[in-house]
Amino acid sequence: MSGNHPGTESRKELTVRGLILGVLITVVFTAANVFFGLKAGLTFATSIPAAVLSMALLRGFKDSTIQENNIVQTIASAAGTLSSIIFVLPGMIMIGWWTGFPFWISFAICALGGILGVMYSIPLRRALVTTSDLPYPEGLACAEVLKVGSGDEANADSVEEGRAGLLAVLWGSIVSAVFAVVVATQVFASDVVQYFRVGNKGAVSGYDFNLSFALFAIGHLVGLSVGIAMLIGALIGWGWGVPHYSLLAQASGTVADLAQGTWSHKVRFVGAGAIGVSAIWTLAKLVKPVISGLTSAMAASKVRKAGKADSLPRTERDIPIGIVGLITLACFLPIGWLLGYFGTTSGLGDHVAVLAIGGVAFVVLMGFFVSTVCGYMAGLIGSSNSPLSGVGILVVIAASLLLVAFVQPHVAPEAGKALVAFALFITSVVFTVAAIANNNLQDLKTGQLVDATPWRQQVALVIGVVAGAAVIPPVLDLLNKAYGFVGVAGVGAHALPAPQAGLISALANGVITGNIDWSLIVTGIWIGVAIIIVDEILARTTKHMRIPPLAVGLGIYLPTVSTLMVVVGSVVGWYFDRRADRAAKPEATKQLGVLLASGLIVGESVIGVVIAFIVGLSGKGAPLALVGEGFAGAAQWIGGIAFAAIVFVLYRWVARMASGSNRKA
C-alpha cells in the first residue's frame, strides 16, 4: 500500500476495463442466479466469486489495484440481488396475465427500481456502514478475498493463498457442473425423495433431499444458526403442518400428491404468517437506525451546502445529495408513466390517475422503508439471508389492501384479475428497490474496508443494475419456454417451483378476491411470535446460538427440496470451520472453504442455464437422458452415495491444500 493517507490518495479504480469485465461477469451471474432462484427459491451472493474472477483476469495488468477489483465485484454483485425480482415477476405468468416476459416493461421495472435502490441507500451509508458496528459478514468476507488476492499485498504468503483460492473456486465450479450434467443424464437422481403415511387415519408427510451442490454450498455460507432455523421450520411444516392439514382434508389421491397439495394450499400460508410477523418485528427494532440514518444524511447535506465537500476525505465522498435527489425524481416520472400505462392496458383506464399517482407515492414511501429494513438486515446477517421474501409478502399485502380500499369498489367485478396483476406489478418495482439497497450497503462495507471511493462504487452499481436488467427478461423467457412454472396449466414434470412468486401471487389474489384463509396466516403469526420469543431468550443467554425467525418462516413455506440440503451444508460447513480452528492458519483455511462453496454455486448455476437452453432448443423435458424411468430407484442410491463421497473428498482436499500452503509459508 502507498504511504499516503487512504482518504486522500488517488488510485486506479473506476476504469473502462473494470467496467467491461464487471458487466460481462454480471451477465453470466445474473443468468445463473435467475435459474437457480426459480429452481430453489434462493439466490446466492455473487460478490466473492466475482472478486476472485476479477483478480484472476486483472492479475496480468501490472497497474491493477484492489480498488479496481472492488469495482468489478460491485458491478457483478447486482446479479445476486437484482435477480431477486424472480420472487415476484413470474407471478404475472402464474395468474395468467402474461404468457411471456415483455422485454421493455420487465427491463424498466428492474432498471428503475434498481437505480432507486442505489439512491435510497446513499443517505444510509454513514449510519449503517461507517459509524455502525453491524458485522456485514459477506462484505467482510469479500474484502478479505480482495486483500488476499490483490497485487497490493503481493508477498509470497498471499500469492500462495491466492492460488489456493483460485483452485478452490475452479474445482468447485467444475465438480458441481459435471455433477449437474450427470444428473441431467438421469444416471444420478436429482433428489432423494420419499412420501409416506403418518398413522392410519389419512395423514401424510415426506422429505426431499435435493442432490444440489449449490444448495449445499449456500448452507455452508449462511452458517449453522440459519441452517438449524430452516430445519426447525421444515420440521414445523412437514412434521406438524402437512400431517395435520392433510388429516383434516381427508382427500383422496397418491401420497405424494396429497403431501404436496397440502403444503402448497395450506402450510405455506402458515409460513407466510411467520415471515410477516418476523419482518414486522425487524421493522420495530429499526426505528433508531432509521432516525440515525436520516440525521446523518441531513448533516452531510449541510456540509456540502457550506462548501466544505472538498474537506471530506476521498473515502467519505458519496454522490452529492443534490444529484441523488435529481436522479430519484427522474426515476419517479417513468415509474408513474409505467404504472399508468399498465393500468390503461389492463382495463383500469378510468382510474389511471389514482393508480399512477398513488402508485408512485407507494413506491416512494414503501421503497425507502423496506430499503432501510433490508440494509440493516444485510449488515446483521448478510444480504443472502436478508428477509426479501418476507418484505415481498408485506408489500404485496399492503398494495392489495390499498387497491381493495380505494379502487375495487369503483370497478366491475370482472376487473379483479387486473387488480391482482397491478398489485404484483407495483410490488415488483418496490421489491427491486429493496433488493438493490440491501446489496449496495454490503458492497459499501467492502469498499470501506479496502479504502474505496463511495461515489465511484455507487456509479458502478448503477451500471451493474442496467446490465443485469437487460439480461433478466430474456433469461426468464428462455426458462419459461423450456420448463414453465409450477401452478401454470400445461407445464411438465420439470416445471420450476418459483415458490416465492407462487406464494406472493396467491396472497395478492386472495386479498383482492376475498377468498384468502386468514386463519392459516394467523396460525403462522403465532408460530412466528413463539420463535421470536425463543430467539430473544437465546440472545440474552448465549452468545453463539440464535434462531433467526425469518429463516424459520422460510423453512415452513419453502419445499423441503429447497431447504434440507441447505441444512446439510450448514452442518458440514460448521464442522469444517471447527476443524479449521485447529489448523496453523484457521482464517485462511475457513476462507478456502468459503471459496470452494462459491465455486460449487457458480458451476451448477451456470450449467443449469446451459441445460435450460438445450431443453428449449430440443423441446424435450430431459434431452440428455441416457436411462429410462425404470432406473430411478438405482439412480437415487448411486447419486446419493456419489454426492456424499464428493463432498468428503472436496473438503478433505481443501483442508490439505490449506495446510500445505501454510507449511510453504
Side-chain angles (χ1 to χ4, degrees):
M1 295 290 288
S2 168
N4 295 334
H5 189 278
T8 58
E9 67 178 0
S10 179
R11 307 211 48 193
K12 193 175 285 292
E13 190 166 358
L14 192 63
T15 62
V16 173
R17 70 188 180 204
L19 294 177
I20 293 172
L21 180 57
V23 168
L24 290 176
I25 295 175
T26 293
V27 168
V28 175
F29 281 2
T30 301
N33 233 343
V34 167
F35 169 76
F36 188 69
L38 290 170
K39 178 182 178 182
L42 295 165
T43 56
F44 63 92
T46 54
S47 293
I48 290 175
V52 172
L53 280 174
S54 172
M55 290 184 296
L57 295 171
L58 292 179
R59 193 179 289 270
F61 295 92
K62 293 181 179 180
D63 58 346
S64 68
T65 65
I66 190 171
Q67 288 82 13
E68 186 179 19
N69 284 316
N70 178 56
I71 286 292
V72 174
Q73 74 80 18
T74 297
I75 296 172
S77 66
T81 49
L82 194 61
S83 53
S84 298
I85 192 64
I86 59 167
F87 293 167
V88 184
L89 211 54
M92 302 291 281
I93 304 282
M94 293 174 172
I95 66 170
W97 193 258
W98 285 352
T99 55
F101 294 90
F103 177 82
W104 286 111
I105 292 178
S106 303
F107 171 81
I109 290 172
C110 295
L112 292 169
I115 293 169
L116 264 184
V118 178
M119 297 302 113
Y120 276 177
S121 67
I122 291 170
L124 298 173
R125 185 184 67 83
R126 285 185 179 84
L128 295 185
V129 177
T130 306
T131 61
S132 168
D133 59 356
L134 291 170
Y136 287 96
E138 290 164 357
L140 177 63
C142 188
E144 290 304 310
V145 171
L146 288 167
K147 290 176 182 177
V148 165
S150 171
D152 294 344
E153 308 280 345
N155 55 60
D157 188 15
S158 69
V159 168
E160 188 64 40
E161 289 179 3
R163 287 173 183 161
L166 289 172
L167 280 174
V169 173
L170 179 64
W171 280 106
S173 301
I174 291 171
V175 167
S176 63
V178 170
F179 192 91
V181 170
V182 178
V183 167
T185 67
Q186 298 186 352
V187 173
F188 291 171
S190 61
D191 49 2
V192 176
V193 56
Q194 184 180 6
Y195 296 100
F196 46 83
R197 295 197 177 274
V198 180
N200 55 8
K201 296 184 179 180
V204 298
S205 189
Y207 60 83
D208 193 338
F209 283 89
N210 192 341
L211 298 178
S212 163
F213 277 107
L215 280 177
F216 175 88
I218 283 177
H220 181 130
L221 295 178
V222 299
L224 188 64
S225 288
V226 173
I228 295 299
M230 292 184 79
L231 176 61
I232 292 170
L235 290 173
I236 292 171
W238 290 83
W240 167 78
V242 172
H244 173 71
Y245 289 110
S246 61
L247 183 62
L248 292 179
Q250 290 291 321
S252 59
T254 66
V255 175
D257 288 343
L258 284 174
Q260 283 295 329
T262 303
W263 167 79
S264 178
H265 299 297
K266 299 287 186 180
V267 175
R268 67 177 181 169
F269 288 96
V270 176
I275 288 173
V277 74
S278 300
I280 291 170
W281 172 250
T282 302
L283 304 184
K285 294 171 73 174
L286 287 179
V287 173
K288 187 176 179 181
V290 169
I291 295 173
S292 174
L294 292 174
T295 304
S296 181
M298 291 170 65
S301 178
K302 288 178 181 177
V303 169
R304 291 194 176 278
K305 285 179 180 177
K308 299 176 183 176
D310 291 339
S311 66
L312 288 172
R314 175 183 57 80
T315 51
E316 281 300 312
R317 293 179 191 169
D318 295 297
I319 294 176
I321 200 70
I323 295 177
V324 170
L326 287 174
I327 294 174
T328 302
L329 289 174
C331 288
F332 289 151
L333 292 175
I335 287 174
W337 179 87
L338 206 61
L339 295 172
Y341 171 78
F342 189 87
T344 302
T345 56
S346 61
L348 300 171
D350 292 342
H351 309 280
V352 68
V354 173
L355 293 173
I357 297 170
V360 169
F362 184 79
V363 171
V364 172
L365 298 175
M366 186 65 79
F368 189 77
F369 197 50
V370 297
S371 295
T372 309
V373 174
C374 289
Y376 184 84
M377 288 301 292
L380 191 63
I381 59 172
S383 54
S384 296
N385 307 323
S386 206
L388 286 177
S389 300
V391 167
I393 288 168
L394 292 179
V395 171
V396 79
I397 289 177
S400 301
L401 288 173
L402 287 171
L403 288 171
V404 168
F406 295 106
V407 180
Q408 192 176 45
H410 309 292
V411 299
E414 57 270 19
K417 190 174 180 180
L419 290 175
V420 173
F422 189 86
L424 290 176
F425 193 78
I426 194 168
T427 298
S428 298
V429 178
V430 176
F431 196 84
T432 312
V433 174
I436 289 297
N438 167 53
N439 168 76
N440 196 25
L441 290 169
Q442 195 80 242
D443 283 333
L444 290 171
K445 182 63 178 181
T446 301
Q448 180 199 21
L449 294 171
V450 299
D451 296 330
T453 310
W455 75 262
R456 290 190 170 99
Q457 275 193 280
Q458 291 150 7
V459 169
L461 198 78
V462 169
I463 294 169
V465 161
V466 174
V471 176
I472 287 172
V475 173
L476 279 173
D477 242 358
L478 168 67
L479 296 173
N480 181 41
K481 291 173 183 174
Y483 298 114
F485 304 119
V486 171
V488 178
V491 297
H494 299 283
L496 296 167
Q500 288 93 334
L503 176 61
I504 287 173
S505 58
L507 285 170
N509 187 64
V511 172
I512 288 171
T513 60
N515 64 2
I516 190 169
D517 187 347
W518 288 102
S519 68
L520 295 171
I521 294 177
V522 170
T523 299
I525 288 172
W526 284 116
I527 291 173
V529 169
I531 297 297
I532 287 169
I533 292 171
V534 172
D535 184 53
E536 288 299 309
I537 292 172
L538 287 173
R540 286 164 172 74
T541 57
T542 177
K543 295 181 180 179
H544 303 293
M545 192 62 201
R546 298 290 298 273
I547 303 177
L550 282 160
V552 177
L554 276 172
I556 297 172
Y557 96 79
L558 283 175
T560 54
V561 71
S562 300
T563 57
L564 292 184
M565 192 52 72
V566 174
V567 176
V568 173
S570 71
V571 173
V572 172
W574 169 81
Y575 180 73
F576 178 83
D577 287 350
R578 288 287 298 272
R579 291 290 299 268
D581 285 333
R582 300 199 292 269
K585 286 190 174 180
E587 293 307 315
T589 305
K590 291 177 185 178
Q591 194 60 57
L592 278 182
V594 168
L595 292 171
L596 173 66
S598 300
L600 291 174
I601 292 170
V602 171
E604 180 178 320
S605 301
V606 172
I607 207 69
V609 176
V610 174
I611 292 172
F613 186 71
I614 295 171
V615 169
L617 289 178
S618 68
K620 300 177 182 178
L624 301 180
L626 299 177
V627 295
E629 292 183 3
F631 194 71
Q636 283 198 22
W637 281 99
I638 296 170
I641 293 170
F643 188 92
I646 292 169
V647 167
F648 177 79
V649 170
L650 280 176
Y651 276 85
R652 188 176 176 84
W653 167 68
V654 164
R656 286 185 170 180
M657 184 165 58
S659 63
S661 67
N662 291 339
R663 284 195 297 271
K664 288 177 185 177

